[in-house]
Amino acid sequence: MSAFTSSRRHRILRGALGVTLATGMGAVLMGCSESPSHGTGPSDGARPSAGHSAANTTAGKQLTGLAQKAADAGSLGVIVRVDTGTGKPVEIARQAAWTKDDHRLAADDRFRVGSNTKTLTATLVLQQVADNKIGLEDTVEKWLPGLVEGGQDITVRMLLNHTSGLGDFLLTPQFLPSLTGQEQRTWTPRELLAVTPRQNPPAEPGTKYSYSNANYEALGLILEKATGQTLADQIEEKITKPLDMNDSNLATGADWKAGKPHVRGYEPDAGRLKAILSGTVDLPQRVGFDGPPRPNDNIDTSAIDPSWSWAAGGMVSTAQDWQRFLTALVSGELLPKEQMKQMRTTVDAPEEGGGYGLGLMKVDTPCGTVWGHTGGLPGYSSEIYTDTGGHRSIAVLTATNFGIKEKTAASANKALVTKATCHMLGK
């Protein structure tokens, strides 16, 4: 089994565990009646061959079974969307039985895509690079004087590929209560950068890959200074409106945008969380996520405010919308060739399953190389990838983050993502 599905969970846990330690908290379809979406007929613009249609139907059935297995094993709610570039995409939405009392999942529900946002932020930055408004070798100090310690030695490129030497604000005692929903506080990017430590152990800028949300908070501020526009306005003007991503927006608070259903997210309660982390960190009793208790020792985390994640992880979207963005990007619609080349230039990042470019992951899977990103927020985890040419894509959205760390859930989730990726690649 490839490293690409496990790497996301390792990174998510790495951040959360670091927070715990630092604070001393010692802290988608074919034939699925559950979803209004369907997924194996020919699209309006193309008629797939009989062989392709049959393969798509077979894969849809297999994926439906794997999605239900994953949901029942601990993923709780799963959306899978596979677009092979020919015919109508396979769309699946499956969920654990008890979650239907909260929400009937559909393949076009809105979802917090977390750190997939970094690819969008990087695209905006590289558009400004192409317009000669931002330079990849510009220092952080040039754009944000006095805001980032050591900013005179950190470049925009280093922020984009996580080689800045900055640690993560997730590792600070000030931030943990907001991450878990125990404290209702609206953080500004400047406040988050102010509590961001250096890496531990220290690393000189440009020498070591180390994933940090702080890098993208800084990039968001640089974008706003370079353009004179808010990040939300830039996203709408440059990405979501031109691509008709009508169900996508940057979260500004805990409330979901009215008018479209959204996925309900869950995390294990304090007791289960302690057991999940046992052997990695000794978590005290009753330390966990805040929210309404749900069956099987789960907590509804849908109301935890994600706005702090901003340029690093604040986008709300749908599987279809985000696949549209990612394929447009990788196929060359959003960036000139030179900037796309820069985006695909990677540093070694084994923990991500391959390499990390400028806001874009290169992931080596059992069936070939894919490009995209992963995301994780309380109650939400996602893997969204496209092939090398940006012609085919998959999205697997899961209604829990820590819940898929448990052994049975992890195995079922990994099998689902691998099958979906291999079908997308025609393997």
Side-chain angles (χ1 to χ4, degrees):
M1 187 56 66
S2 69
F4 75 110
T5 51
S6 62
S7 64
R8 166 172 53 88
R9 288 188 282 282
H10 291 162
R11 188 180 73 243
I12 293 163
L13 287 170
R14 185 166 69 241
L17 292 177
V19 175
T20 303
L21 291 167
T23 58
M25 293 186 65
V28 158
L29 149 112
M30 34 147 323
C32 175
S33 62
E34 312 303 318
S35 168
S37 301
H38 302 80
T40 56
S43 65
D44 292 338
R47 294 186 62 85
S49 67
H52 178 89
S53 181
N56 220 30
T57 299
T58 299
K61 291 178 179 178
Q62 293 172 340
L63 285 167
T64 298
L66 287 171
Q68 187 64 62
K69 183 177 180 179
D72 293 338
S75 291
L76 303 183
V78 180
I79 292 172
V80 181
R81 190 175 187 277
V82 184
D83 188 344
T84 61
T86 306
K88 191 171 183 179
V90 173
E91 295 180 306
I92 301 164
R94 305 300 288 182
Q95 62 193 120
W98 66 263
T99 67
K100 297 174 186 177
D101 291 336
D102 293 339
H103 170 64
R104 292 279 178 149
L105 198 65
D108 60 352
D109 282 349
R110 302 177 83 239
F111 191 94
R112 290 175 178 159
V113 297
S115 286
N116 287 282
T117 304
K118 291 181 173 67
T119 307
L120 185 151
T121 299
T123 301
L124 292 173
V125 171
L126 288 168
Q127 288 176 341
Q128 296 303 313
V129 170
D131 289 342
N132 296 312
K133 293 182 178 179
I134 297 175
L136 287 174
E137 308 312 321
D138 289 351
T139 66
V140 174
E141 186 66 14
K142 171 185 175 179
W143 287 102
L144 308 175
L147 190 59
V148 176
E149 183 181 354
Q152 69 277 5
D153 298 318
I154 302 171
T155 67
V156 169
R157 185 192 302 275
M158 294 174 192
L159 295 176
L160 286 164
N161 66 13
H162 297 292
T163 62
S164 68
L166 293 176
D168 204 310
F169 51 81
L170 290 178
L171 308 183
T172 64
Q174 300 97 318
F175 184 72
L176 179 64
S178 296
L179 178 68
T180 60
Q182 295 169 346
E183 179 181 75
Q184 303 301 314
R185 174 177 173 178
T186 300
W187 288 84
T188 69
R190 290 178 176 269
E191 289 172 336
L192 291 169
L193 288 169
V195 300
T196 296
R198 303 293 291 180
Q199 285 178 25
N200 186 20
E204 291 297 318
T207 64
K208 180 183 178 183
Y209 172 85
S210 184
Y211 192 93
S212 171
N213 291 287
N215 292 320
Y216 278 74
E217 297 290 325
L219 287 167
L221 291 174
I222 291 172
L223 275 169
E224 292 196 332
K225 191 167 185 179
T227 65
Q229 290 182 293
T230 67
L231 179 62
D233 284 347
Q234 293 178 66
I235 290 170
E236 181 177 5
E237 178 183 326
K238 300 287 190 178
I239 307 293
T240 59
K241 189 172 181 180
L243 294 179
D244 293 325
M245 295 170 63
N246 299 319
D247 295 313
S248 301
N249 67 279
L250 186 67
T252 57
D255 294 337
W256 294 79
K257 190 174 181 180
K260 180 100 184 233
H262 64 83
V263 174
R264 298 288 283 270
Y266 308 93
E267 291 296 355
D269 68 4
R272 281 182 59 211
L273 189 61
K274 179 178 175 65
I276 288 169
L277 301 184
S278 176
T280 307
V281 63
D282 185 15
L283 198 65
Q285 297 291 340
R286 296 185 297 279
V287 172
F289 293 95
D290 184 67
R294 302 304 298 131
N296 302 332
D297 303 321
N298 288 288
I299 299 294
D300 186 338
T301 59
S302 306
I304 293 180
D305 187 352
S307 61
W308 59 266
S309 57
W310 196 53
M315 286 299 292
V316 176
S317 191
T318 64
Q320 182 175 0
D321 265 13
W322 208 262
Q323 287 173 273
R324 183 178 296 148
F325 160 65
L326 190 58
T327 54
L329 171 64
V330 175
S331 66
E333 290 183 34
L334 299 178
L335 290 174
K337 288 183 179 180
E338 177 58 28
Q339 280 65 51
M340 197 66 236
K341 179 181 177 181
Q342 296 280 358
M343 181 175 254
R344 289 180 186 256
T345 301
T346 63
V347 295
D348 288 340
E351 59 266 53
E352 314 302 355
Y356 200 97
L358 305 186
L360 192 66
M361 292 179 179
K362 177 185 178 184
V363 184
D364 300 319
T365 83
C367 294
T369 296
V370 294
W371 295 83
H373 215 286
T374 60
L377 285 169
Y380 302 89
S381 61
S382 52
E383 299 190 47
I384 309 177
Y385 304 119
T386 183
D387 63 353
T388 300
H391 306 301
R392 300 174 285 188
S393 61
I394 68 154
V396 179
L397 315 180
T398 305
T400 186
N401 191 333
F402 282 88
I404 52 175
K405 171 62 178 173
E406 292 174 308
K407 185 175 181 179
T408 301
S411 178
N413 180 266
K414 186 159 61 174
L416 174 62
V417 176
T418 300
K419 178 63 180 178
T421 306
C422 289
H423 176 54
M424 183 263 284
L425 292 174
K427 303 292 181 63

